[in-house]
Amino acid sequence: MAKVSVQFTLNGAEKAEFIDSGTTLLHALRDKIGDTSPKGGCHQGTCGACSVIIDGELRLSCLTLAETCSGAAITTTSGLSEGGVLHPLQRAFLDAFATQCGFCTPGMIMAAKVLLDHTPNPSRDEVVEALSGNICRCTGYEPIIQAVLTAARSNSQNAARGESKKMELRKSYFADQRKDDLHEIGQPRPRSDSPGHVTGKTAYFADRNFPGMLHLKMVRSPHHHARILSIDISEAEKHPGVVKILTAKDVPHNVYTILILIQIGPEDETVLADGKVRWKGEAVVAVLAETERAAQEAAAKVKVDYEVLPAVFDMEEALKPGAPIVNEYHGRNYYLYDSGECRKVRFGDVEAGFASADHVLEQTYQSSPIEHAPTETTGCIVAPEGNDRFTCYTNTQAMFFTLDNASIILQMPGNRLHFVGGTVGGGFGGKVDVIVEPIAILGAKLTGRPVSFIYSRAEEMQISSPRAAEKVVIKDGVMKDGRIVARKVTGYTDAGAYSRHSPYGAQKGAGHYPGPYTIPNVWIDTYCVYTNRTPSSAMRGFGVTIGDFALEVQMDKLARLIGMDPLEFRFINAYRDGDMKAHRQPTEGAALIECMQEASRAANWPVAEKFMAMSSYAKGA
Ligand code: FES
Ligand code: FES
């Protein structure tokens, strides 16, 4: 590739570089010059994380060729503070809690700076419009909008600081249950990582760059279910820049272990597909090359011959006799718990409860898979350290889990693996699967060179495990006076083709389905079902969140059925300290009643005085 010279000023300093023609400004800034404050969230112009200012205008550095910037004045967030004093925008973002993982923050601040440079006193609508090209997955946009408005109102650091909100700590609750010497709770304290986020100095795993680093790209299954008849890598091996190609036979222990480490999950998934693929996107062959582009092009030259097999995508279809078997490890399309084909909770006599009820209501609730969509995609960079030791820089949310799993897969003692975590650019549970690290370490071991394996935006959205699709059937028996006397729930969790964390999620659901309510007769069955869909896994409260949605919609429907106020209906059934839960744990530290009392006041939703006088823990109240 032809080299071109490029000269520009970056944050006031002269820069001159020789770069490959076609290099993006984002790549040049991060990997050539070492300014890692612009981030690569999508590399396709949709997230705004790479935003910089070129000659006073906001530009996406991932879509800008570096060679077109000769003679330009470029500003990045790392150049905004002067002499250690934060720019008013940086100060305002910090004080308004407008940054969480921080991955979007440098780009947001760039967009805000261009707005304030052109429009010093913007309206709220103008702020919203100016930030509309920048995506934040974590923080919520309101604190960001408020930070920009605050910075606009003042150029002074101190005035910007004055906008911090105080939280109110209501000390009347549980006064006899705690020490009343709280100093930190209720006080606005800046996050310790915020200064790094607003200055662009926070180091994410991909901010590291090693000489001679290889790039790993996967050949993935185009089919939902197929037998692999042959794999031909001969053409791919000849592609310029290719250094190594890995197939299943290269992986020492070609099995993901995940939850086996805590005696829950089975060993039912391969690192690289061996003989069969069970979902569209499954990793089959790993290609390591000098550049990302060479790895991508070579991956397209790998020839895999498939025999397509019947697939099943619906949980109830998968459970029917004669359905295609998704995963031979199980021999059936559901996870076998020690309690049988499902997790079970049995409490009281549910049929007697239904027989005695004034009304019975059965409803079905369903959800689709939900992608975590972190702004920073999943990935790791591995550097060989000599003596057969490897340092893995990763954005995993499960550091020791990952170390232990990598050690088993690579059949390598854990003391040869040094894992370095740090700030994760948004995880939400999606970065707890051990997917990228073992194969990247193997690549580094077999080539003796650093290896980068980072999901593209398309891979993050299509390949990374989502929250499971769920189906919940709830049948409740309720009395005219508002008491729920029986609840029967059948829950289905769609694990996709492999277990990952789903058996654990379905198990959590079984314990959770009574909700925060005291019900004397309960029957719960939860199934973890295998289909030919993308394997699902952890996501914020997985196994519980969809169930909560279903339960609370059901509560509203029950209240409507008996003509009762929905909040008062919940007061009647709310569990209180000492109540026995269906899974036979006595209730301790309940606070639902107090929360509902506060919600009633805050929402101006009056309930009868007797409910406002109730207590979760005081006997008789
Ligand atoms: S818009 Fe450039 S990385 Fe997303
Ligand atoms: S703080 Fe905006 S994406 Fe995480």
Side-chain angles (χ1 to χ4, degrees):
M1 198 171 286
K3 294 274 185 195
V4 292
S5 71
V6 59
Q7 284 180 299
F8 48 71
T9 63
L10 176 63
N11 300 321
E14 295 284 345
K15 300 288 173 189
E17 290 288 336
F18 274 107
I19 56 170
D20 290 333
S21 179
T23 300
T24 64
L25 179 62
L26 177 63
H27 180 56
L29 289 174
R30 289 176 55 82
D31 300 331
K32 288 280 180 188
I33 295 173
D35 182 348
T36 55
S37 63
K39 305 297 179 195
C42 68
H43 299 274
Q44 57 190 30
T46 53
C47 74
C50 65
S51 298
V52 298
I53 301 172
I54 302 178
D55 293 334
E57 299 297 327
L58 187 67
R59 297 276 291 274
L60 297 173
S61 61
C62 74
L63 296 186
T64 304
L65 292 180
E67 61 209 77
T68 65
C69 296
S70 265
I74 300 174
T75 304
T76 63
T77 294
S78 66
L80 283 194
S81 54
E82 283 177 25
V85 177
L86 295 179
H87 183 279
L89 268 168
Q90 294 172 313
R91 183 81 246 169
F93 266 65
L94 197 147
D95 288 343
F97 298 93
T99 175
Q100 190 172 316
C101 82
F103 200 78
C104 71
T105 306
M108 285 282 182
I109 289 177
M110 288 287 94
K113 182 170 186 327
V114 171
L115 170 70
L116 298 193
D117 287 349
H118 292 296
T119 312
N121 192 19
S123 66
R124 181 191 161 83
D125 284 351
E126 286 171 321
V127 173
V128 171
E129 178 61 28
L131 300 180
S132 62
N134 294 68
I135 293 173
C136 176
R137 170 66 178 84
C138 313
T139 315
Y141 292 96
E142 193 55 34
I144 296 172
I145 295 165
Q146 290 307 321
V148 179
L149 290 170
T150 300
R153 279 198 294 273
S154 170
N155 290 322
S156 115
Q157 180 181 333
N158 289 336
R161 266 191 183 142
E163 298 297 319
S164 296
K165 283 185 191 158
K166 282 215 182 319
M167 290 178 281
E168 183 192 5
L169 178 64
R170 193 67 61 84
K171 295 195 173 183
S172 53
Y173 287 129
F174 310 113
D176 60 343
Q177 292 198 345
R178 58 170 167 70
K179 292 180 183 168
D180 201 13
D181 57 355
L182 305 173
H183 300 299
E184 297 298 322
I185 295 175
Q187 304 301 317
R189 298 277 186 240
R191 292 171 57 107
S192 60
D193 51 6
S194 296
H197 294 354
V198 301
T199 54
K201 289 188 176 142
T202 298
Y204 299 83
F205 84 94
D207 291 340
R208 294 174 179 87
N209 194 7
F210 293 94
M213 188 162 75
L214 299 175
H215 297 264
L216 190 154
K217 288 288 170 190
M218 282 292 178
V219 177
R220 298 187 177 280
S221 166
H223 303 295
H224 298 286
H225 196 193
R227 215 178 308 284
I228 298 173
L229 302 179
S230 64
I231 298 175
D232 179 358
I233 60 171
S234 55
E235 284 303 309
E237 278 180 319
K238 289 183 216 154
H239 191 80
V242 169
V243 174
K244 188 82 186 166
I245 296 183
L246 306 174
T247 60
K249 65 178 174 17
D250 297 305
V251 185
H253 181 64
N254 190 24
V255 178
Y256 275 129
T257 51
I258 310 272
L259 292 183
I260 200 77
L261 291 170
I262 52 172
Q263 291 84 47
I264 292 181
E267 295 188 321
D268 67 350
E269 183 171 5
T270 51
V271 178
L272 292 176
D274 189 4
K276 220 181 153 192
V277 288
R278 299 176 177 87
W279 59 284
K280 188 175 175 178
E282 183 159 359
V284 182
V285 174
V287 178
L288 293 122
E290 301 285 354
T291 65
E292 223 178 314
R293 185 170 167 177
Q296 199 80 60
E297 289 170 348
K301 290 185 175 174
V302 172
K303 294 191 190 96
V304 185
D305 195 13
Y306 295 100
E307 176 195 347
V308 177
L309 300 170
V312 61
F313 305 106
D314 179 85
M315 288 187 280
E316 280 167 298
E317 290 298 319
L319 290 175
K320 284 182 183 165
I325 294 296
V326 173
N327 194 326
E328 295 73 13
Y329 177 92
H330 302 281
R332 60 185 84 79
N333 286 338
Y334 56 84
Y335 178 79
L336 192 63
Y337 291 97
D338 52 12
S339 54
E341 74 281 11
C342 59
R343 262 289 173 240
K344 301 173 184 176
V345 175
R346 305 287 186 261
F347 187 63
D349 184 340
V350 78
E351 292 306 328
F354 287 134
S356 69
D358 291 326
H359 300 278
V360 173
L361 178 70
E362 180 174 317
Q363 298 281 286
T364 299
Y365 304 88
Q366 225 164 330
S367 68
S368 296
I370 301 171
E371 166 54 36
H372 308 77
T375 316
E376 176 205 47
T377 61
T378 302
C380 70
I381 290 175
V382 179
E385 302 292 358
N387 298 331
D388 208 20
R389 291 174 188 269
F390 301 87
T391 299
C392 179
Y393 303 91
T394 168
N395 60 8
T396 179
Q397 291 179 266
M399 184 64 75
F400 291 97
F401 227 24
T402 307
L403 192 154
D404 285 346
N405 274 283
S407 166
I408 293 169
I409 290 166
L410 298 166
Q411 300 286 284
M412 182 185 282
N415 62 9
R416 296 219 182 123
L417 300 173
H418 177 202
F419 273 69
V420 180
T423 304
V424 175
F428 321 108
K431 290 172 178 166
V432 300
D433 291 345
V434 187
I435 301 297
V436 292
E437 295 86 356
I439 195 74
I441 297 170
L442 181 63
K445 180 178 165 63
L446 296 179
T447 62
R449 291 174 61 175
V451 170
S452 164
F453 181 16
I454 304 175
Y455 277 2
S456 67
R457 174 52 53 189
E459 283 179 305
E460 187 67 46
M461 303 305 282
Q462 294 169 359
I463 304 305
S464 69
S465 50
R467 180 194 291 284
E470 290 185 43
K471 179 172 180 177
V472 189
V473 183
I474 308 175
K475 181 178 177 183
D476 282 329
V478 63
M479 307 303 287
K480 288 179 194 153
D481 63 11
R483 286 175 297 125
I484 304 172
V485 292
R487 170 163 289 174
K488 186 170 188 177
V489 180
T490 308
Y492 303 91
T493 297
D494 189 343
Y498 297 105
S499 293
R500 298 201 184 170
H501 292 81
S502 291
Y504 175 49
Q507 173 165 308
K508 282 202 289 176
H512 190 74
Y513 280 128
Y517 306 110
T518 297
I519 303 172
N521 303 295
V522 173
W523 173 297
I524 294 168
D525 289 339
T526 58
Y527 295 82
C528 175
V529 186
Y530 300 105
T531 65
N532 293 106
R533 298 174 81 176
T534 306
S536 58
S537 194
M539 185 181 193
R540 292 185 161 180
F542 68 112
V544 167
T545 319
I546 300 300
D548 272 336
F549 157 76
L551 290 177
E552 294 308 323
V553 174
Q554 178 84 355
M555 292 296 282
D556 284 348
K557 289 183 178 180
L558 289 169
R560 213 172 299 138
L561 181 67
I562 59 172
M564 185 172 277
D565 176 273
L567 194 52
E568 294 189 349
F569 178 62
R570 286 170 169 84
F571 273 103
I572 289 170
N573 291 288
Y575 61 23
R576 302 162 80 176
D577 275 11
D579 288 352
M580 183 58 76
K581 297 180 188 172
H583 50 67
R584 293 177 179 76
Q585 289 291 317
T587 305
E588 290 176 22
L592 176 59
I593 284 171
E594 288 72 18
C595 286
M596 290 195 295
Q597 288 165 345
E598 279 306 301
S600 158
R601 290 189 191 100
N604 196 21
W605 185 294
V607 295
E609 197 46 48
K610 65 178 178 180
F611 298 119
M612 296 306 279
M614 284 174 72
S615 163
S616 287
Y617 64 100
K619 300 289 178 218

